[in-house]
Amino acid sequence: MRLRSIKTQLIVSVLLVELASAVLGTTLVVLYERHARFRAFDIMLRGRADSLLGAVQDAEDAQDSVMLDGSEINLPHDDIYEVWDENGRVLGHSPAWKIPGGSNVLATSSKQFDKIRVNGTRYRTIQMDGVRVVDPGDKNGGVRRRVTIVYGSPTRPAWKAVWNAVLFYGATSLILVILTGVVMFWLLRRGLAPLDELAAQASGLSVNSWLFAPSDRIRETTELAPLATALETAMQGLERSFKQQHQFVSDATHELKTAVAVIKSSLQLLSMKPRAPSEYQTGLERCQIDCRRIEEIVVKMLTLARVESNMTGTADHSSVLSTNLGQIVKSVVTQLETFAELNRICIEVLVSDAFTLDIEEDELELLCSNLLMNALQHSKAGDVVRVIGRSVGGWLELVISDQGGGIEKEFLPYIFDRFYRNDFSRSRRTGGTGLGLAICRAITNKANGTIELRSTPGSGTTVVVRLHLDRNSCTPTGITAEQIPSNETKSSSC
């Protein structure tokens, strides 16, 4: 693909505009100079024709005719003229007049000014009629003799003056265009230097170098500041995402490697010496537990990858999913009821069936299942786990709280990180993989919702999930758990 320079395009565009302006300006100059020059030329012709009329004198003959007195004529030698009287008699003509005498070639022209060519030379002519009075002292005021004068002058000097003016303006415009091009190149090179600097910094980015620090000159440039900020934000996001992916792979490898090492150690321990059948049975059961743990880790990793892969903005939001929260919660409680009963934990559900959410049904079920199972695993016998759904404006708040041991304050910022477990011994006991809350956060992020965990050591933990109610939800705003009809959605399992 051919690369195009913005500087070159700008310079060429401006120079073309300037060149077109110069051509237009020169054309206007030609028209103006031609009009001005030939207007002055016509005035000159008229003046010289008047001089000829003044040279027509009384011939002092019996017919009271007139004559052209050439002794008083002082006109340019290359001008042409001819004077004739009302009878067509030629009174005189210039030495350069090459037209046969008495032909009166211009007598029939209706134009006062005309153009003729004589011996290859172009002339502009004026035809003027005049009257001379012979013997004006007579009692009748003398005899009036009408004369016609045709006077012409070469147009070459006028055209030369016009073209000299065109040459001056054209050369001046061309020099200005060239100077403008040079100045523009220097100014654009100086003005676009921040863009070149930005491109140089962007080209230096790679998976091994995420440093992108635009200079103050770039940040202070109005056109580049938004681009620099966008690139900086994008680079920070990519760096964070790359590190998260790298950390995820590292954590997953560590978890799987640990589980495989445990299985390998168990098998090695069994093979070290002959053992009783009961010992082999116990060892195999322990291996099965670890295999199930590996399987659970892999399933959750795939689930997390699936949810996050659908967060790229390709999801179709044109239709409303209208997933019923109350039915999903009841289904999850039913699935975990046996676990709760075995551990003597009471589950209270205060969720209206009127809540519908614009979220995938299986993802909402997974979200509720993970949070409720997490609450059950961290509760003790006799505790109560509450699941409350309430609307706040256009939002649904799903609150799941337990009465367990709680989480220390310093662990809360990392509780949604992948494979994070603040208590490994308890996680091992409860079968936790450190991916459940990460999956919950991925699901809420995908639904443009939020998830928040509040905990006080010794007083239990509360998870608050906020999701958008879909537009088909008929739930009144501000509903509280106490307002939910007991025969509809309020249930408990103890």
Side-chain angles (χ1 to χ4, degrees), residues 362-439:
D362 57 340
E363 292 181 357
L364 181 59
E365 183 175 355
L366 181 60
L367 173 68
C368 296
S369 176
N370 282 352
L371 295 178
L372 187 56
M373 188 62 188
N374 202 48
L376 291 173
Q377 287 177 335
H378 293 85
S379 298
K380 57 184 181 299
D383 286 351
V384 177
V385 174
R386 290 185 174 85
V387 182
I388 300 173
R390 60 195 178 201
S391 67
V392 179
W395 292 80
L396 176 279
E397 279 193 355
L398 177 64
V399 182
I400 299 178
S401 60
D402 63 58
Q403 298 174 322
I407 304 172
E408 298 294 336
K409 186 178 180 180
E410 61 267 26
F411 300 137
L412 290 178
Y414 314 102
I415 205 68
F416 291 105
D417 291 350
R418 297 160 177 163
F419 297 109
Y420 180 80
R421 286 166 293 187
N422 61 313
D423 188 342
F424 282 86
S425 60
R426 190 172 64 174
S427 297
R428 172 68 64 182
R429 187 183 71 251
T430 59
T433 61
L435 289 173
L437 289 178
I439 292 174

Side-chain angles (χ1 to χ4, degrees), residues 275-289:
R275 298 181 182 275
S278 59
E279 291 178 322
Y280 284 116
Q281 182 67 27
T282 301
L284 291 176
E285 289 177 353
R286 191 163 52 247
C287 289
Q288 287 180 346
I289 292 173

Side-chain angles (χ1 to χ4, degrees), residues 20-158:
S21 300
V23 171
L24 179 61
T26 304
T27 303
L28 294 176
V29 167
V30 170
L31 296 176
Y32 174 77
E33 287 290 331
R34 180 183 179 280
H35 173 75
R37 295 286 178 179
F38 278 91
R39 186 177 180 184
F41 195 87
D42 291 344
I43 294 173
M44 177 201 70
L45 287 179
R46 187 182 297 279
R48 292 179 180 178
D50 287 338
S51 299
L52 279 178
L53 181 59
V56 175
Q57 304 293 327
D58 184 357
E60 302 293 345
D61 57 8
Q63 291 78 25
D64 294 331
S65 56
V66 292
M67 57 170 287
L68 181 64
D69 185 3
S71 62
E72 299 182 0
I73 300 174
N74 185 19
L75 297 171
H77 68 279
D78 53 350
D79 285 1
I80 59 174
Y81 61 84
E82 188 176 53
V83 182
W84 63 85
D85 60 13
E86 56 195 5
N87 297 320
R89 185 173 62 89
V90 176
L91 303 180
H93 54 73
S94 64
W97 186 264
K98 303 300 182 183
I99 301 174
S103 61
N104 296 340
V105 293
L106 298 177
T108 57
S109 176
S110 59
K111 299 178 181 177
Q112 184 180 17
F113 295 96
D114 205 348
K115 293 179 290 185
I116 64 172
R117 180 188 290 271
V118 177
N119 295 330
T121 303
R122 296 179 182 276
Y123 290 86
R124 184 170 179 81
T125 63
I126 181 173
Q127 179 174 318
M128 187 178 70
D129 295 330
V131 177
R132 299 298 296 175
V133 179
V134 179
D135 297 331
D138 291 349
K139 61 180 180 180
N140 295 328
V143 180
R144 301 173 65 83
R145 297 297 182 188
R146 180 173 172 271
V147 297
T148 300
I149 301 170
V150 174
Y151 191 94
S153 185
T155 57
R156 185 175 57 256

